[in-house]
Amino acid sequence: MKKHVVLYKKLSPTLMSRLQQHADVTLIDEPNRDGLARLRAALPHAHGLLGASLKLDAPLLDLAPHLEAVSSVSVGVDNYDLDYLDRRGILLSNTPDVLTETTADTGFALILATARRMVELANMVRTGQWKSNIGPQHFGNDVHGKTLGIIGMGRIGEALAQRGHFGFGMPVLYHSHSPKPAVEARFNAGYRSLEALLQEADFICLTLPLTAETQGLIGARQFALMRPQSIFINISRGKVVDEPALIAALQQGQIRAAGLDVFEREPLPHDSPLLQLNNVVATPHIGSATHETREAMAQCAVDNLLSALAGERPLNLVNPKAWGMRVSG
């Protein structure tokens, strides 16, 4: 008998067909809206869940007594209670590798767009305000040769460092839990304390996950350490940053500009002060949003889920403790 999978993210016809070959599938459209009731109704029969961008807390998962595995179409796992999943022996998997290069592309696009004031000046052309040659009041800043500071030197951080070092001749500084000699050798990168990096870097880029330790990591004190010409880039998670402190730093000229793909609240409220600032480039969480990468992420998630439901260890298992419980049990 096939196991039952509750899918709360649409798949391509090819991937949907593959999943249906191995499982009975219930697709829930828009689980954060009207579909939430359908999701709750489907959970008592679920052996597997596959989707993204939905917080799966204990009250919700308590409705799924047969649940064996959750496959997230994402890298971040801040929507999941790992302790709860471990206690129940529910396997959680993610898609960490396939979006690395695309997300780094997004990060560097934000670096270029903020430094050269691309959005602001493109809007000037679009609205008919370009009346004469561009003067100093509209000049941007160079990117090549400037110091790139990366906070969180994981896969995406390394991909960003590669672009800066080899493509733009940027000295690279980084901060992480511990020094990484291989990174230093490859990119001639320098390890710094968080405070030193904030003071030295021209571009400060966040590429670290949201955890209890990183939530609110960058606030008023950290922005005060940055220089007036610093440009701040966030492609990690919105809650790593104290957003009111960021707004104040931009309004008061403590930093030059910000390129933001993530926010404390998503979608970003229409009355956010960030939308009134010309020195902000804001994008709607598009880090991995290309046709190729999203399909690769979905394929990875399907692979992870089918492995778990077949009694195999998923390639991208997040919580090995739950696997240990399954094996020992």
Side-chain angles (χ1 to χ4, degrees), residues 190-202:
Y191 178 81
R192 295 289 190 274
S193 68
L194 178 61
E195 290 75 15
L197 184 148
L198 296 175
Q199 292 173 319
E200 294 181 47
D202 297 301

Side-chain angles (χ1 to χ4, degrees), residues 114-136:
T114 50
R116 298 303 304 272
R117 301 170 66 174
M118 291 289 190
V119 174
E120 176 189 357
L121 298 182
N123 284 337
M124 187 176 75
V125 176
R126 183 181 296 273
T127 56
Q129 298 178 56
W130 184 26
K131 304 294 186 182
S132 60
N133 291 338
I134 291 296

Side-chain angles (χ1 to χ4, degrees), residues 125-160:
V125 176
R126 183 181 296 273
T127 56
Q129 298 178 56
W130 184 26
K131 304 294 186 182
S132 60
N133 291 338
I134 291 296
Q137 71 273 25
H138 292 121
F139 287 172
N141 299 100
D142 283 335
V143 173
H144 63 272
K146 295 296 180 65
T147 299
L148 175 61
I150 300 172
I151 302 174
M153 189 55 82
R155 295 180 183 90
I156 296 170
E158 288 190 36
L160 200 62

Side-chain angles (χ1 to χ4, degrees), residues 86-220:
D86 284 344
R87 286 196 302 271
R88 286 192 52 189
I90 298 170
L91 305 183
L92 174 65
S93 57
N94 65 346
T95 59
D97 294 318
V98 292
L99 53 67
T100 296
E101 299 297 336
T102 301
T103 305
D105 283 351
T106 301
F108 221 89
L110 288 172
I111 288 173
L112 291 167
T114 50
R116 298 303 304 272
R117 301 170 66 174
M118 291 289 190
V119 174
E120 176 189 357
L121 298 182
N123 284 337
M124 187 176 75
V125 176
R126 183 181 296 273
T127 56
Q129 298 178 56
W130 184 26
K131 304 294 186 182
S132 60
N133 291 338
I134 291 296
Q137 71 273 25
H138 292 121
F139 287 172
N141 299 100
D142 283 335
V143 173
H144 63 272
K146 295 296 180 65
T147 299
L148 175 61
I150 300 172
I151 302 174
M153 189 55 82
R155 295 180 183 90
I156 296 170
E158 288 190 36
L160 200 62
Q162 176 177 307
R163 285 155 175 74
H165 174 69
F166 292 112
F168 288 80
M170 304 176 79
V172 176
L173 305 177
Y174 75 99
H175 175 75
S176 64
H177 285 302
S178 59
K180 298 193 172 186
V183 168
E184 294 174 15
R186 184 180 181 195
F187 306 121
N188 193 27
Y191 178 81
R192 295 289 190 274
S193 68
L194 178 61
E195 290 75 15
L197 184 148
L198 296 175
Q199 292 173 319
E200 294 181 47
D202 297 301
F203 295 90
I204 297 160
C205 305
L206 299 189
T207 65
L208 71 178
L210 176 63
T211 66
E213 292 74 27
T214 64
Q215 183 166 347
L217 178 70
I218 306 298

Side-chain angles (χ1 to χ4, degrees), residues 253-265:
Q254 285 183 310
I255 62 175
R256 167 69 186 85
L260 308 171
D261 190 44
V262 290
F263 307 89
E264 281 188 348
R265 288 178 56 196

